[in-house]
Amino acid sequence: MLTKILVAISFFALAGKSFGQRSMPLSKAQLWQETGKEISDSTRQYYYNQLGNIYLKESWGIPKDIDSAFHYLRKAILLGDSANIANREITNESLTLLASAYMQKNDFAPGVKIFDQVINSYQKTGNKIKKGDTWISKGKYLSFFGLYPEIAENDLKSALSLFSELNDKQKMVDAYLNLSDFYYRSLKLTFADSTLHKALKASANCKSYRISEVYYFLSSVNRYQGNLNQALKYALESVKAVEAAGNQNLMGQSYGELALVYQELNQPKQSIYWYRKCLDIRVKNGDQSVYTTAYFMTVQMIKADESRSAIKILNDLAKNNPPIRHNEKASIFQSLAYCYNAIGAYSTAEAYFLDMIQERYHGNQWGEELMIANLDIGKFYANRQEYKKAKPYLEKAAVLNETTTASRRMELQFLLFKADSAEGNFQAAIQHLEKYKTLNDSIFSVTKSKQIEELLIQYETEKKDQNIHLLEKESKLQLGKLIFANQIRNWIMGFAILFLVVSGLLIYNSRLKQRINKKLKDQQKEIEDKNHTLERLVKEKEWLVKEIHHRVKNNFQMVMGLLGTQSEYLKTEEAINAMTESQHRVQVMSLIHRKLYQSDNLSAINMAHYIHDLVNYLRDSYDIRQSIHFNLQVDPVELDLTYCVPLGLMLNEAITNSIKYAFPGDRNGAIKISFTRILDDQLLLTIKDNGVGFPPNFDINHSGSLGMKLMKGLSEDIDGEFSINGHNGTEIMLTFNYTPDKTNGATH
C-alpha cells in the first residue's frame, strides 16, 4: 500500500525515545567531536549508538549508504562487550539498532537473530517494558517487509499481552497501533479496523495518547474499504487533534490522509488544498515522502485544469530538494509524465513514463506503487491506441492488482479488455469485460440495494394508506365481517410470516454450515500443508547443523595436523611441548563437535560420554594406560555448547598437569574425576590426583602458568567458583550454576 512510504520513518521512533531519555540528541558533527574527547566507555558507546541511528535514518532507501551505520554500531557493541555489566542496557540498544540495520539492508536472518538475542537478554534481566518494545521493533520490520507474518503477528500480540499485564495504557496504544498496521499491510482490513477501535478506547483512557495517529489509521482503513463517509470523519478528527497538539511531525500524514479522502470523493479543489498544506510541512521537515505527495497533488491539479502550474511546482521542488532515492526520482518522473500528457506533449510524457518505470524497479518495490506505475504507463499507451506497447505493462499491473482499490482494478480490467480486443484475442477480452462488470456491479450494489429498499418502503406505505381509507368507508356496513376477515387475515399472515422466517432461518443455517465446513476444510488443508513444510524445514535444519558441526570438527582436525607438522620444524623442547598442548586443546573442541554431529540432540552433549572420550584420548596421547589409573564418577548431565567448551578445556588442562607433574620418576598414580549435580541448578566438577602436590613455596593466586590462567579465565566465562588444593596431591574444584535452555533442546 502507498501508506508504507508515509510511515516508513516511524521505525526510528523507538530508538529516538531511548536516546531522548538521556539527553537532547546531538548533531552528527557534535557527536564526532565528542567521541574524540576523553570520556567514559559507557558515554562513548552511547554516542556511537546515536551516530549509528543517524546514519540508519539517512540511509533509508539507499542501502549502499548503510555501511556507516554498521561501522558505528559494531564499534558500540565491541565497546559494550569489554565494558562493565552495568552498561548492558546500552549494549542492548546497540544490538537493537544493528538488527534494524540488517533488516533495512534486506539481510533478514541475522536481523531476526539479533532481535531474539535482545529479547532473551531482557527476559533474563526481567525488563518487561524493554522486552515488549523489542518485540514491537522486530514485528514492525517483519510486517513492513512482508516476512514471516505469523511470527510478526505473534511478536506484536505478545507485546500487547505483556503491556496489558503491566496495565501500561500508553504502551498498549503503541502495541494496538503496530498490530493494526500489521493487519493493514496484510490486507486484513476488518482486523485492522477492530484493533484500531481498541486503540481508540485505550487512548481515551490515557489522556488521548497518540489519538491523531489512531484517527489517521482509522481513516486510511475505511478509505481502502470504501467507507468514505467514515474515512472523512476520522481524517477530520485526526487533523483537529494534531493541530490542537501542534505536532509538526504528524501534521503531514494527517493533512495527506484528508487530501486522499477528498481525492476518493472526487473533490479535486479540496484535495489540492490539503495536499499543499501537507507538502509544505514535509518539505520543511525534510520528509522522504515529499515527491509522493507531489505526485498525488499533480493528479488532482490536472483534474482541475492546472497542468502547467503543476509543472512549475514540480520543477521548483526538484531544484530546491533534489531527489536522491530511486522512488523519489520515480515519483517526480511520474508526475511530470502526467502533466505533459495532459498538455499534449506525448513524446516528452512517454520519456518520463519510461524513466519512471525504470526507477520504480530499481527502488524499494512497494506493491501498490508498482501496480499504479504499470497501470499509468499502460493507460498512456492504451489511450493512444498503442495496445502492443500497453499490454506488457497492463499484465504486470494485473499481477499486483490485489494491492490497490476496487476502482483501479476495474479500470485495469477495462484497459485489458480493450488491448485484447485490439489484438483479436476475443475470449480473453470477454473475460476481462466480465471482471470489469463484476467489479462495477460490486461497487454500486450497495447503492442499488438502498434505492430498491427505499422504493419498497414507499410503496408499502402508500398501499397501507389506501387500505386504511377503504376500510374506514366500509366500516359501518361490514364491521362484523371485516373484524372476522381481519382476524383470519392476521392469522394467515402470521403463519405465512412465521413460515417464511423459519424457512429463511433453515436455509441460512444450512448455507452457513456449508460455508463453515468449506472454510474448516480449507483451513485443515492449509494447516496440513504448513505442517509438511515445517517438517521439511526442520529436517533440513538438522541436516545443516550436523553438517556444520562435521565441518567444524574436520577444520579442528586440520588445525591439529598443521600444528603437528609445525612441531616437526621446532628445535626447542619448550616450543614442541607448547605445540603439543595446543593440539590437545584443539582436540578438546573437536571432540565436542564430533559428539554433536553424531548425536540426535544437536544443541547439547552428554558429559558422561564426552569425559570418557577425552580421558581415553589423553591416555593414548601420553601412553599412560599402565602407570596412571583413572576413576570416573560422572552423572548423565547434558550441557549446551556454551558450557561444554570451557569445561572440556579445563579438564584438559587439569588432567595434563597431573600427568606431567604429579607423578615424577614414572611413578604410578591415580586421578579421580567427578562431575555431579549438587543442587537442581548447580553442578560440581572435581579433578583430584594422589601425586606430589604443589611445592612448599608455591603461590596458587600468583602463578604465572598458562594452564592456571586458562582455568581461572574459563571458570569466569561460565560464572563458576574455582578453587585448588595442593596438599596430599592436587584437587581442582569448579562449582557453577546451569539452568537448561528448553528452547534449544538441552535437558537436565
Side-chain angles (χ1 to χ4, degrees):
M1 294 184 177
L2 288 173
T3 311
K4 283 184 175 181
I5 299 174
L6 304 181
V7 298
I9 206 72
S10 65
F11 283 120
F12 307 104
L14 186 61
K17 288 180 182 178
S18 298
F19 295 136
Q21 291 170 357
R22 178 164 182 164
S23 63
M24 291 297 292
L26 302 176
S27 68
K28 193 190 302 182
Q30 289 173 321
L31 289 168
W32 286 336
Q33 184 178 4
E34 291 297 321
T35 53
K37 298 178 181 178
E38 290 292 333
I39 53 179
S40 66
D41 286 347
S42 61
T43 303
R44 188 179 302 279
Q45 185 184 9
Y46 170 73
Y47 287 151
Y48 283 156
N49 282 353
Q50 280 200 353
L51 278 167
N53 190 44
I54 290 173
Y55 280 111
L56 197 59
K57 291 180 181 179
E58 292 179 349
S59 64
W60 185 263
I62 314 176
K64 66 180 182 180
D65 290 344
I66 204 170
D67 291 340
S68 296
F70 276 103
H71 171 74
Y72 285 107
L73 293 174
R74 283 169 177 156
K75 289 182 71 172
I77 292 168
L78 288 173
L79 192 62
D81 289 341
S82 62
N84 191 288
I85 195 66
N87 292 321
R88 192 63 206 172
E89 290 293 326
I90 303 179
T91 301
N92 281 338
E93 285 184 358
S94 306
L95 289 168
T96 300
L97 289 169
L98 183 62
S100 302
Y102 274 114
M103 301 294 279
Q104 193 169 311
K105 195 179 180 182
N106 296 333
D107 194 0
F108 302 114
V112 171
K113 184 178 179 181
I114 295 171
F115 270 129
D116 289 338
Q117 178 183 342
V118 176
I119 291 169
N120 290 333
S121 174
Y122 287 132
Q123 173 71 26
K124 291 178 181 178
T125 60
N127 193 332
K128 295 184 178 181
I129 294 294
K130 289 286 188 179
K131 178 183 176 183
D133 288 340
T134 310
W135 259 330
I136 288 178
S137 294
K138 177 188 171 189
K140 283 166 66 175
Y141 269 108
L142 294 178
S143 171
F144 186 81
F145 288 105
L147 296 168
Y148 314 122
E150 293 180 356
I151 296 176
E153 183 178 9
N154 183 64
D155 285 342
L156 294 171
K157 284 184 174 179
S158 297
L160 176 60
S161 177
L162 181 60
F163 294 145
S164 299
E165 176 188 332
L166 298 173
N167 198 29
D168 191 324
K169 302 295 185 185
Q170 289 192 355
K171 291 293 184 181
M172 287 172 63
V173 174
D174 293 338
Y176 277 129
L177 280 172
N178 284 288
L179 183 59
S180 64
D181 183 59
F182 164 78
Y183 288 134
Y184 181 74
R185 296 176 192 279
S186 304
L187 301 179
K188 298 178 180 179
L189 299 181
T190 303
F191 287 100
D193 185 74
S194 173
T195 306
L196 284 168
H197 277 89
K198 293 177 182 178
L200 189 64
K201 184 178 179 181
S203 176
N205 291 333
C206 57
K207 300 180 180 179
S208 298
Y209 171 69
R210 298 186 72 177
I211 191 69
S212 65
E213 295 168 85
V214 177
Y215 283 133
Y216 161 77
F217 278 109
L218 277 168
S219 174
S220 185
V221 168
N222 278 275
R223 176 164 54 82
Y224 270 89
Q225 288 179 310
N227 302 326
L228 299 182
N229 57 333
Q230 293 295 314
L232 180 61
K233 180 183 76 172
Y234 290 127
L236 289 170
E237 289 291 341
S238 178
V239 168
K240 184 165 64 175
V242 80
E243 287 183 342
N247 192 329
Q248 293 287 324
N249 293 327
L250 297 178
M251 281 183 184
Q253 73 176 20
S254 296
Y255 292 161
E257 176 60 26
L258 184 55
L260 283 168
V261 175
Y262 279 123
Q263 176 179 315
E264 292 292 324
L265 291 169
N266 199 24
Q267 297 183 27
K269 288 186 178 180
Q270 291 88 338
S271 183
I272 292 169
Y273 171 79
W274 288 104
Y275 274 135
R276 284 186 183 276
K277 290 176 70 70
C278 174
L279 189 62
D280 290 342
I281 290 288
R282 286 179 171 158
V283 169
K284 181 180 177 182
N285 293 344
D287 199 312
Q288 294 179 9
S289 56
V290 165
Y291 285 100
T292 304
T293 306
Y295 161 73
F296 286 132
M297 188 174 74
T298 297
V299 175
Q300 298 306 302
M301 291 181 74
I302 291 170
K303 286 184 179 181
D305 198 21
E306 299 177 15
S307 302
R308 296 191 182 277
S309 298
I311 292 174
K312 184 178 184 307
I313 290 174
L314 292 169
N315 288 331
D316 290 342
L317 185 62
K319 179 180 178 181
N320 298 324
N321 304 274
I324 300 174
R325 298 165 179 81
H326 290 295
N327 286 330
E328 292 174 345
K329 295 177 183 178
S331 292
I332 196 166
F333 290 154
Q334 194 171 10
S335 303
L336 289 169
Y338 258 96
C339 293
Y340 283 108
N341 180 55
I343 64 176
Y346 301 119
S347 298
T348 305
E350 182 181 19
Y352 276 122
F353 270 128
L354 293 173
D355 288 341
M356 173 271 295
I357 202 73
Q358 184 177 5
E359 292 293 339
R360 283 287 181 225
Y361 279 100
H362 283 149
N364 292 324
Q365 298 183 25
W366 316 113
E368 190 174 18
E369 273 203 315
L370 283 179
M371 188 276 171
I372 295 174
N374 283 287
L375 177 62
D376 283 352
I377 193 170
K379 181 168 60 175
F380 169 76
Y381 284 126
N383 289 340
R384 303 189 67 204
Q385 298 184 354
E386 297 182 54
Y387 294 111
K388 288 185 178 180
K389 291 183 178 180
K391 188 67 178 295
Y393 296 107
L394 295 175
E395 289 176 341
K396 290 177 183 178
V399 174
L400 301 166
N401 78 95
E402 291 299 325
T403 63
T404 193
T405 59
S407 60
R408 286 199 187 97
R409 296 200 299 272
M410 183 177 70
E411 182 180 20
L412 173 62
Q413 293 301 324
F414 186 71
L415 290 171
L416 285 168
F417 158 70
K418 292 172 68 176
D420 285 331
S421 298
E423 292 179 354
N425 189 357
F426 298 113
Q427 183 176 0
I430 291 172
Q431 291 176 353
H432 289 305
L433 183 61
E434 288 176 348
K435 291 179 181 179
Y436 165 79
K437 289 182 177 179
T438 300
L439 287 167
N440 185 63
D441 291 342
S442 68
I443 292 173
F444 295 105
S445 62
V446 175
T447 302
K448 289 181 179 179
S449 299
K450 186 176 181 181
Q451 291 174 346
I452 292 170
E453 184 180 356
E454 289 174 351
L455 289 173
L456 287 173
I457 292 172
Q458 183 180 357
Y459 171 77
E460 290 295 332
T461 302
E462 292 176 354
K463 183 178 179 181
K464 287 181 180 179
D465 290 340
Q466 291 175 357
N467 288 337
I468 291 171
H469 182 68
L470 290 173
L471 287 171
E472 287 177 348
K473 284 185 177 181
E474 297 176 1
S475 61
K476 293 181 180 180
L477 298 173
Q478 299 182 350
L479 182 60
K481 292 182 179 180
L482 286 174
I483 292 173
F484 179 75
N486 285 336
Q487 290 176 343
I488 297 297
R489 184 187 65 183
N490 290 338
W491 279 106
I492 292 173
M493 289 180 64
F495 280 117
I497 291 171
L498 181 62
F499 175 76
L500 290 174
V501 170
V502 172
S503 300
L505 289 173
L506 290 173
I507 294 171
Y508 174 77
N509 188 51
S510 175
R511 291 181 178 177
L512 182 62
K513 286 183 178 179
Q514 291 176 356
R515 288 197 297 269
I516 292 173
N517 289 336
K518 184 178 181 303
K519 187 175 181 181
L520 289 174
K521 288 180 181 178
D522 293 341
Q523 290 177 343
Q524 180 64 31
K525 185 178 182 303
E526 183 179 355
I527 291 170
E528 290 175 356
D529 292 341
K530 288 182 178 179
N531 285 339
H532 291 320
T533 302
L534 289 173
E535 289 174 1
R536 177 175 56 81
L537 290 174
V538 168
K539 290 180 181 178
E540 291 178 358
K541 177 185 175 184
E542 291 177 350
W543 180 85
L544 287 172
V545 173
K546 283 190 175 183
E547 181 67 15
I548 289 170
H549 287 303
H550 189 198
R551 293 190 181 186
V552 171
K553 189 271 295 182
N554 290 342
N555 288 339
F556 279 133
Q557 294 296 325
M558 185 181 296
V559 171
M560 290 179 64
L562 291 172
L563 292 173
T565 302
Q566 183 66 40
S567 66
E568 294 177 1
Y569 294 91
L570 299 176
K571 297 180 179 180
T572 65
E573 183 178 353
E574 182 180 358
I576 293 171
N577 290 338
M579 197 67 69
T580 302
E581 289 177 359
S582 297
Q583 284 182 296
H584 292 164
R585 291 167 185 144
V586 173
Q587 178 64 16
V588 168
M589 294 182 283
S590 176
L591 279 174
I592 291 173
H593 288 279
R594 188 180 73 182
K595 285 292 181 183
L596 284 172
Y597 82 77
Q598 290 177 346
S599 170
D600 292 333
N601 189 344
L602 300 176
S603 59
I605 292 179
N606 187 306
M607 292 303 294
H609 297 162
Y610 173 66
I611 292 175
H612 278 83
D613 287 353
L614 178 59
V615 169
N616 287 333
Y617 164 73
L618 293 174
R619 278 174 171 170
D620 294 337
S621 297
Y622 288 98
D623 193 18
I624 55 168
R625 288 189 175 272
Q626 302 302 322
S627 59
I628 298 178
H629 173 70
F630 283 85
N631 180 9
L632 303 183
Q633 297 179 4
V634 184
D635 289 350
V637 177
E638 289 190 347
L639 299 181
D640 62 34
L641 193 62
T642 307
Y643 287 82
C644 287
V645 172
L647 288 178
L649 290 171
M650 287 189 67
L651 282 164
N652 174 70
E653 295 300 325
I655 296 170
T656 300
N657 285 340
S658 294
I659 292 172
K660 291 170 63 177
Y661 305 116
F663 311 106
D666 296 329
R667 59 183 287 186
N668 293 336
I671 299 174
K672 179 180 179 181
I673 300 173
S674 171
F675 186 54
T676 59
R677 187 184 299 280
I678 55 178
L679 294 174
D680 288 342
D681 60 348
Q682 193 173 61
L683 299 172
L684 172 63
L685 172 66
T686 305
I687 306 103
K688 179 176 176 58
D689 63 53
N690 60 352
V692 298
F694 293 124
N697 297 325
F698 184 77
D699 187 352
I700 297 173
N701 294 324
H702 295 85
S703 173
S705 70
L706 176 60
M708 192 66 67
K709 289 181 179 179
L710 275 176
M711 286 190 285
K712 289 181 178 179
L714 291 168
S715 65
E716 291 174 358
D717 287 346
I718 59 175
D719 296 330
E721 294 183 5
F722 175 76
S723 63
I724 299 179
N725 180 9
H727 301 289
N728 297 323
T730 302
E731 182 179 31
I732 296 174
M733 300 179 65
L734 173 67
T735 306
F736 63 96
N737 294 329
Y738 178 72
T739 302
D741 184 358
K742 297 181 180 179
T743 61
N744 63 17
T747 58
H748 287 283

